[in-house]
Amino acid sequence: MFFIAGFGAIAGAVGVVMLRDPFYAVLALVAHLLSLAVLFLLLRAEFVAAVQVVVYAGAVMVLYVFVVAYVGGREEPIGELLRGRGPAGAQLRLGAAILSGALLVELLIALLGTGLKAVSGDGAPYAPGPRTFGTPAYIGQLLLTRFLLVFEAASFLLLIAAVGAVVLARRRGGIEEDGDMNGRVLTPLDLVRPRETGTMAEGVGARK
Amino acid sequence: MSIGWYLAVSAIVFALGAAGVMVRRNPLVVLLCLELMLNGANLSLVAFSRMWGNGDGQIFALIVMTVAACEVCIGLGMVVAIYRRKLPIDVDELRELQG
């Protein structure tokens, strides 16, 4: 089971990096996230696995699919991807590949080589029960007692990110100039509501 | 199954994500590769949490997911803003901040 899920995770990651079309890259990432959730289940992290499937592979990836469909992800020609632009681009890409290979070797040494005595083990003993390791009750208790400050900081960060996304993707104002609106292509959204709505719904409609 | 295997998978996923961030040019795919790196880190956090029989690593993994969601939110907002201004969606072309 581990090898199936691990192979799925690595294959999904390779797909994200290699596939030309951003839409297929998003689908490969969904496959990667699902097999990673299986790995989390094997590690007795039930709640984290559930959150991974529902929030990550569900909500966040739907947002990605919307934006890819909206932006209409242009395909990068694979030859151009490999060659880069001229010799300098090719050298940069080769350097990037070498750098990431070195990073992989370093990580493997750091994770497996040095701490092998401490790492190689089947983990702590585990007894099934309603409030044992990894269940929602356990996670919730930790999150609301010991990690309460972290929890509040995370919620505040989410609020800031939501406001920031609305400001960034707003139809008018923000970092966009008004002069750009004149030459803009008319979309179906413009027909169903006035263009100068300045509300939150503007930002929500603009995300699609 | 030994914890070492999980750590190896997480290292491979992290390195693949780093390679993708450096190689790809579409900012959407760069964001996807950032997700890959965060997920590699998450997997090793959960593996260490299992190793010690302690829930702290899982809490940290959840917080990392929150940070990833925020990053996706802001990043996609920027991509949409770039698209609105009819700029090329290509990180090699968008180098006004490079100085």
Side-chain angles (χ1 to χ4, degrees):
Chain A
M1 194 67 202
F2 167 77
F3 286 104
I4 298 173
F7 181 75
I10 294 175
V14 170
V16 171
V17 177
M18 290 296 169
L19 285 176
R20 283 187 295 166
D21 194 342
F23 190 73
Y24 291 129
V26 171
L27 293 186
L29 189 64
V30 170
H32 167 78
L33 291 175
L34 290 180
S35 43
L36 215 58
V38 174
L39 286 183
F40 286 166
L41 269 186
L42 288 176
L43 285 167
R44 311 271 186 201
E46 305 158 15
F47 183 66
V48 180
V51 168
Q52 175 96 1
V53 171
V54 173
V55 175
Y56 226 134
V60 174
M61 288 304 121
V62 165
L63 193 62
Y64 261 113
V65 169
F66 269 145
V67 172
V68 169
Y70 176 67
V71 174
R74 292 171 307 145
E75 300 190 9
E76 301 176 10
I78 194 76
E80 196 183 6
L81 175 72
L82 290 179
R83 269 186 279 110
R85 286 181 186 162
Q91 278 177 4
L92 279 180
R93 278 171 224 297
L94 185 65
I98 290 173
L99 200 58
S100 61
L103 182 66
L104 172 64
V105 170
E106 183 192 345
L107 274 178
L108 283 177
I109 288 173
L111 287 176
L112 301 177
T114 54
L116 198 58
K117 288 190 292 297
V119 163
S120 69
D122 288 336
Y126 178 79
R131 293 184 73 83
T132 48
F133 178 71
T135 55
Y138 179 82
I139 296 285
Q141 196 184 15
L142 268 184
L143 208 53
L144 287 180
T145 55
R146 198 173 151 199
F147 294 98
L148 182 62
L149 186 64
V150 179
F151 180 67
E152 297 295 339
S155 61
F156 197 60
L157 182 66
L158 276 175
L159 173 68
I160 294 172
V163 173
V166 170
V167 168
L168 274 175
R170 202 167 47 174
R171 195 160 279 258
R172 183 168 290 200
I175 65 170
E176 188 181 19
E177 296 149 5
D178 278 349
D180 281 356
M181 302 300 290
N182 296 329
R184 202 171 53 82
V185 180
L186 196 70
T187 60
L189 272 178
D190 293 324
L191 301 177
V192 297
R193 62 171 168 67
R195 193 182 274 185
E196 56 272 2
T197 43
T199 58
M200 292 283 282
E202 189 183 15
V204 174
R207 298 303 304 270
K208 287 185 185 147
Chain B
M1 185 58 67
S2 167
I3 301 294
W5 287 97
Y6 293 95
L7 296 180
V9 171
S10 88
I12 292 171
V13 169
F14 187 89
L16 276 172
V21 168
M22 286 186 278
V23 169
R24 295 304 296 265
R25 289 205 311 272
N26 192 333
L28 281 169
V29 184
V30 170
L31 280 175
L32 288 176
C33 293
L34 279 176
E35 299 283 317
L36 278 185
M37 293 172 74
L38 287 168
N39 276 309
N42 255 352
L43 181 59
S44 63
L45 279 174
V46 174
F48 283 130
S49 163
R50 169 82 182 107
M51 184 177 109
W52 296 109
N54 191 341
D56 296 5
Q58 295 190 8
I59 301 287
F60 203 175
L62 286 174
I63 300 300
V64 169
M65 279 186 199
T66 311
V67 173
C70 294
E71 166 242 320
V72 165
C73 204
I74 297 296
L76 291 183
M78 286 172 65
V79 169
V80 170
I82 290 169
Y83 179 71
R84 284 268 170 67
R85 301 196 60 183
K86 297 190 173 56
L87 293 172
I89 301 187
D90 187 333
V91 290
D92 283 351
E93 304 283 336
L94 298 168
R95 51 190 172 197
E96 291 163 21
L97 283 178
Q98 199 177 353

